[in-house]
Amino acid sequence: MAKELPYFKFEPNQWENGSIQMCSKEVKGLFIDICSVYWSRLGELPYALALQKHCNGDAKGLQTLIEYQIIGN
């Protein structure tokens, strides 16, 4: 767990005006879940873990985030 900063930076303007707005509400929720796990694991989130834990093995949501360059793979 991140001990020094128990939160991650969130900028409403980037959220409201960024590429994430092209995504469905489901994919936006997936993004926030991934941010949370990524932060709590101190930047270590293997693709396979994100795929199984947050997407039930369905890569469509992750692929959307990658295609819009919201996350890297």
Side-chain angles (χ1 to χ4, degrees):
M1 237 330 139
K3 298 291 183 195
E4 292 179 32
L5 294 173
Y7 55 87
F8 57 89
K9 187 175 181 179
F10 178 83
E11 295 195 22
N13 283 335
Q14 286 184 345
W15 180 261
E16 288 299 320
N17 299 310
S19 299
I20 192 77
Q21 291 304 313
M22 294 185 290
C23 298
S24 68
K25 291 195 180 290
E26 181 180 347
V27 172
K28 290 178 190 178
L30 173 62
F31 173 73
I32 290 296
D33 284 350
I34 288 172
C35 286
S36 177
V37 172
Y38 182 83
W39 185 261
S40 68
R41 293 175 54 92
L42 302 174
E44 293 291 325
L45 182 57
Y47 180 87
L49 178 61
L51 180 62
Q52 290 306 315
K53 183 173 182 174
H54 297 286
C55 302
N56 297 321
D58 182 359
K60 193 163 74 173
L62 277 177
Q63 286 306 118
T64 299
L65 292 170
I66 292 167
E67 286 172 23
Y68 288 134
Q69 298 179 341
I70 296 167
I71 64 171
N73 60 350

